[in-house]
Amino acid sequence: MSTVISRKWEHAVVTGGAGFVGSHLCAALLDAGAAVTCVDDLSTGRPENIAPLLERPGFTLVRANVAQELPVGRPPDLVLHFASPASPADYLRLPLHTMETGSLGTRNALKLAHDAEARFVLASTSEVYGDPQQNPQDERYWGHVNPVGPRSVYDEAKRFGEALTTAHAETGGTDTCIVRLFNTYGPRMRGHDGRAVPTFVRQALAGEPLTVTGDGLQTRSLCYVDDTVAGVLAAAGHGMRGPVNIGNPGEITMLALARLVIALTGSRSEIRYIERPVDDPAVRCPDITLARDKLGWEPLVGAEEGLRRTIDWFRAEVRR
């Protein structure tokens, strides 16, 4: 992966750096010459995600719960707060941990950035829009969120994190940025994390039925991880406060995605319809006008190419 970073960072702290997106961020920052401290309690992150980085100069792994402590050694000039269970399987299993990470963890990460006079980037999510009544969603839309539904532990943790980040910037002058990530996929996802792409790929490679929820006509917008990382680092280097949407505006139904995965894997799997989860959004599509205009960023990897890379990675994982 080649990621253009518009600002030279000396030392970056990445919370949740052993996670799916976090590990790709760590690698991109190392490639750009930054020292990287990865802070992760490995509750959902995986050691194998960062195993190739452990021998690289400048990389440090700190195993810690960011809601309790952030022991990072020398001060950073960039803090990327990506710690949080992010898949339904994880945040439904770890509801209190999810909310503590989004509240206490965000507080600790903000304090670290403020004290070090570092740039701070909060990984928020398209989930702050809930089940949107506006499509596509731009950053001015306030959302349509159930604060007590099963998804609320994740949705409200992220919404609180945005409010806390904004308060830090306005009252303490902390140099902050909020990025709202839309559905990201690619290598290093866990096959059983409950999200559509890894679930469909795992099932197709195993010859199992692909489980499409509801009628499958609900939509998502899928952004390949390399593009997401490039967008995050562009926002970090720009100096904007955001929030800014980082995602791919190409919208696809879950039924069409399942059929595409079957075609790309050459699987003989069939499609099986199952019950749709409570509060499952009907549509999800980013308006990325702000990212295009201010950051000069837009996704470059199309769905077929990104899925081929992801499928190849999952095949290699099966062989290992």
Side-chain angles (χ1 to χ4, degrees):
M1 178 184 69
S2 177
T3 299
V4 176
I5 299 180
S6 57
R7 183 169 160 185
K8 179 70 175 178
W9 305 105
E10 298 296 328
H11 176 211
V13 170
V14 182
T15 72
F20 162 49
V21 177
S23 62
H24 286 275
L25 276 168
C26 288
L29 287 161
L30 286 169
D31 290 344
V36 176
T37 299
C38 164
V39 183
D40 204 302
D41 65 0
L42 302 181
S43 57
T44 60
R46 299 197 301 170
E48 50 265 47
N49 287 347
I50 53 170
L53 308 181
L54 292 173
E55 303 302 319
R56 293 186 60 173
F59 182 78
T60 303
L61 170 64
V62 175
R63 186 164 181 175
N65 180 347
V66 297
Q68 299 172 357
E69 59 177 344
L70 257 176
V72 299
R74 70 185 178 96
D77 55 357
L78 175 64
V79 177
L80 296 166
H81 184 39
F82 275 68
S84 177
S87 72
D90 288 333
Y91 62 69
L92 293 174
R93 177 175 57 89
L94 300 166
L96 295 179
H97 180 63
T98 300
M99 299 205 77
E100 288 167 358
T101 303
S103 54
L104 299 174
T106 303
R107 180 197 65 181
N108 291 341
L110 279 163
K111 185 178 187 304
L112 173 65
H114 179 80
D115 291 348
E117 298 184 352
R119 176 75 163 152
F120 174 88
V121 179
L122 173 71
S124 188
T125 171
S126 60
E127 293 293 331
V128 301
Y129 299 122
D131 187 6
Q133 297 176 319
Q134 170 185 305
N135 198 46
Q137 298 88 56
D138 64 34
E139 294 85 354
R140 296 167 296 180
Y141 178 55
W142 289 356
H144 178 230
V145 180
N146 179 358
V148 294
R151 304 170 74 97
S152 64
V153 294
Y154 183 63
D155 300 354
E156 298 301 334
K158 291 297 188 180
R159 284 158 65 96
F160 178 83
E162 288 198 11
L164 185 60
T165 299
T166 302
H168 246 267
E170 293 182 350
T171 63
T174 311
D175 181 13
T176 67
C177 178
I178 298 168
V179 291
R180 291 176 177 163
L181 307 186
F182 281 66
N183 298 78
T184 300
Y185 72 100
R188 301 182 199 154
M189 297 191 89
R190 291 176 291 132
H192 290 273
D193 82 354
R195 286 179 277 199
V197 169
T199 298
F200 289 165
V201 172
R202 171 179 56 80
Q203 290 170 335
L205 292 178
E208 301 170 356
L210 273 64
T211 49
V212 172
T213 63
D215 59 10
L217 299 183
Q218 63 273 31
T219 69
R220 296 294 181 269
S221 299
L222 304 175
C223 193
Y224 189 67
V225 65
D226 288 4
D227 286 331
T228 295
V229 166
V232 169
L233 294 176
H238 181 273
M240 71 186 310
R241 278 178 57 178
V244 58
N245 290 336
I246 301 296
N248 192 321
E251 203 170 1
I252 187 170
T253 69
M254 292 299 91
L255 180 57
L257 175 63
R259 289 171 173 163
L260 181 56
V261 168
I262 289 172
L264 292 176
T265 56
S267 175
R268 295 185 178 181
S269 295
E270 298 179 347
I271 289 172
R272 180 163 61 89
Y273 295 93
I274 63 174
E275 186 177 358
R276 190 169 163 189
V278 176
D279 295 336
D280 184 47
V283 293
R284 186 59 56 74
C285 181
D287 182 328
I288 62 168
T289 302
L290 182 61
R292 281 194 178 115
D293 291 350
K294 297 294 185 183
L295 305 179
W297 173 88
E298 61 182 342
L300 302 177
V301 181
E304 287 200 22
E305 174 59 25
L307 285 170
R308 287 185 194 279
R309 297 181 192 177
T310 305
I311 290 164
D312 288 346
W313 182 84
F314 269 92
R315 279 202 171 108
E317 284 292 287
V318 170
R319 287 195 295 271
R320 278 195 289 269

